[in-house]
Amino acid sequence: MNENELITSVLNGNTNAFGPLVTRYQELVFNTCMGFVHNADEANDLTQDVFIRAFEKLSQFNHQASFSTWLYRIAINTSLNAVRSKKSQLFQRMGSWFETENKAGFEMPSDQNLTPESLMLTTEQSALVQKELDKLSEKQRVAFVLSRCENLPQKEIASIMQISEGAVESLIKRAKTNLAKNISSYFKK
Amino acid sequence: MNCTECQTKITSYPEEKPSPETLQSMKTHLQSCKNCRALYAASVWVDTFVTEEKRIKVNPFMTTRVMAQIEKQTALSPNSGLVRLLNPQVLLVAASIVLALFLGVSAGSFYQPATFTEQVPEEFQYLNDAGMESLTYLINE
Ligand SMILES: [Zn+2]
């Protein structure tokens, strides 16, 4: 059965036809959620929530966008809700931890041939990147997650976020500039 | 290459990949500019963070998990299963059927059919009715 046949079958009462849709799109949903919560257990729980919500609202899927675009939107909304609810407490904890633990700053990497493949981040370095990612505006964050965690082309991101491609490009650029500037401020002068 | 150019290249990566010549002039600039080197290193940290995060895979039993949850919810949904049975109208109909059955069974149990209980005298007990002569025959005689 193809995707549309599976959807029709679920809508006609064949619940089991939803299984292949979960299998097909579980990674897409998980990676998106992971990009927001940075924790495997939490991302798995959110992935389950996203699919349950998609199942319940399947009759509202109107085929104007692709099924994956529709799922991305549910995944983003579910993740943002989860992040919003724990944002204040997490920021308080992480903010004070950074101020006390990392006042001295990080040693700046001296190697200019540095690549993501050649590097392993320490727990503190990962925590710093995560903190700065979480500080981005929601729109910058969504655009960044879809472009870097999901490797989506700007056209598809524009369709998911329902904004222009130019706006997506600018959001991604601003996200990356903010991240680089904020993280580099932690390097020893 | 100046700082602005270098920083634009850093933040445009990987959407815009620099040519080998641009990459060489970036490297030369980074060697002499601490500010740009810090930005570059920070960008690599972000890329590394994303790369590490992408290695984490979804729970291999996700489909089973989701389908079990859907089954549980479907069983409790207002349109089926247990909840439908707990609907007041359904309960009323079920109660009426039980009451009707109870009344039927009770009425059947209390009904005593009229039975012939009189004791047959001993002298008639061995009487063969079939062997008796017809009364009509005797009258016509
Ligand atoms: Zn510079």
Side-chain angles (χ1 to χ4, degrees):
Chain A
M1 268 201 265
N2 68 29
E3 189 174 290
N4 281 336
E5 287 168 342
L6 287 170
I7 293 168
T8 310
S9 182
V10 177
L11 290 173
N12 287 335
N14 176 17
T15 308
N16 288 334
F18 196 68
L21 291 170
V22 177
T23 307
R24 195 173 298 176
Y25 290 109
Q26 56 184 349
E27 269 186 52
L28 171 158
V29 172
F30 177 79
N31 290 343
T32 307
C33 297
M34 192 68 188
F36 288 94
V37 297
H38 318 294
N39 173 295
D41 286 340
E42 225 176 307
N44 274 313
D45 287 347
L46 285 178
T47 302
Q48 180 176 327
D49 290 351
V50 168
F51 281 114
I52 300 293
R53 205 175 282 190
F55 176 80
E56 287 169 347
K57 298 196 180 299
L58 197 60
S59 60
Q60 290 171 24
F61 172 59
N62 54 16
H63 298 268
Q64 274 175 358
S66 69
F67 185 65
S68 65
T69 298
W70 188 70
L71 264 184
Y72 269 124
R73 286 186 193 142
I74 300 177
I76 291 165
N77 285 331
T78 309
S79 302
L80 283 178
N81 279 337
V83 166
R84 279 178 202 136
S85 65
K86 65 168 190 176
K87 197 168 187 173
S88 55
Q89 46 181 33
L90 188 77
F91 264 168
Q92 277 168 3
R93 252 190 301 138
M94 282 185 91
S96 58
W97 179 75
F98 263 93
E99 253 124 71
T100 52
E101 294 290 315
N102 297 292
K103 254 197 179 127
F106 289 93
E107 210 62 62
M108 190 169 65
S110 53
D111 184 6
Q112 281 101 64
N113 296 317
L114 202 65
T115 59
E117 291 74 30
S118 69
L119 190 69
M120 278 271 283
L121 294 182
T122 64
T123 312
E124 289 79 13
Q125 291 166 345
S126 285
L128 171 63
V129 177
Q130 186 184 321
K131 184 182 88 115
E132 292 305 327
L133 273 170
D134 294 350
K135 266 164 67 178
L136 293 175
S137 76
E138 283 189 355
K139 278 188 178 176
Q140 284 181 26
R141 205 168 163 186
V142 171
F144 181 84
V145 167
L146 294 178
S147 94
R148 302 306 287 278
C149 308
E150 281 292 294
N151 293 329
L152 290 184
Q154 288 182 358
K155 194 179 173 186
E156 201 173 339
I157 300 174
S159 158
I160 294 166
M161 295 181 75
Q162 293 171 301
I163 55 176
S164 71
E165 277 184 63
V168 171
E169 191 182 350
S170 136
L171 282 173
I172 295 171
K173 221 164 216 176
R174 272 189 282 152
K176 288 199 288 187
T177 307
N178 287 339
L179 284 170
K181 282 196 173 144
N182 295 341
I183 291 168
S184 66
S185 73
Y186 279 87
F187 292 147
K188 276 181 189 166
K189 293 286 174 284
Chain B
M1 180 176 277
N2 63 29
C3 288
T4 315
E5 284 172 336
C6 187
Q7 287 169 18
T8 308
K9 293 291 170 199
I10 290 171
T11 52
S12 309
Y13 189 82
E15 287 80 19
E16 291 168 37
K17 290 199 171 71
S19 66
E21 298 79 46
T22 312
L23 205 62
Q24 194 47 55
S25 38
M26 271 175 84
K27 276 186 182 176
T28 313
H29 180 83
L30 288 176
Q31 273 166 355
S32 60
C33 179
K34 208 177 172 185
N35 261 348
C36 288
R37 204 158 66 227
L39 281 182
Y40 174 71
S43 301
V44 176
W45 279 21
V46 174
D47 280 352
T48 309
F49 180 84
V50 172
T51 309
E52 284 177 356
E53 212 167 68
K54 276 195 216 170
R55 288 201 194 106
I56 303 168
K57 296 291 170 210
V58 64
N59 182 325
F61 303 107
M62 183 52 72
T63 305
T64 315
R65 247 177 86 163
V66 171
M67 294 314 285
Q69 185 63 30
I70 286 176
E71 208 167 295
K72 212 158 98 185
Q73 271 176 233
T74 315
L76 290 170
S77 84
N79 295 321
S80 63
L82 194 63
V83 171
R84 192 168 58 191
L85 288 177
L86 294 175
N87 179 316
Q89 282 181 330
V90 175
L91 281 179
L92 191 69
V93 172
S96 316
I97 294 170
V98 170
L99 187 69
L101 281 172
F102 174 75
L103 287 174
V105 170
S106 312
S109 310
F110 290 132
Y111 171 69
Q112 295 281 328
T115 46
F116 184 73
T117 51
E118 213 174 312
Q119 203 72 38
V120 181
E122 205 178 338
E123 58 268 34
F124 292 133
Q125 276 180 10
Y126 307 105
L127 206 66
N128 182 3
D129 288 335
M132 280 175 70
E133 280 180 290
S134 160
L135 194 61
T136 330
Y137 173 75
L138 288 174
I139 292 167
N140 289 346
E141 189 72 28

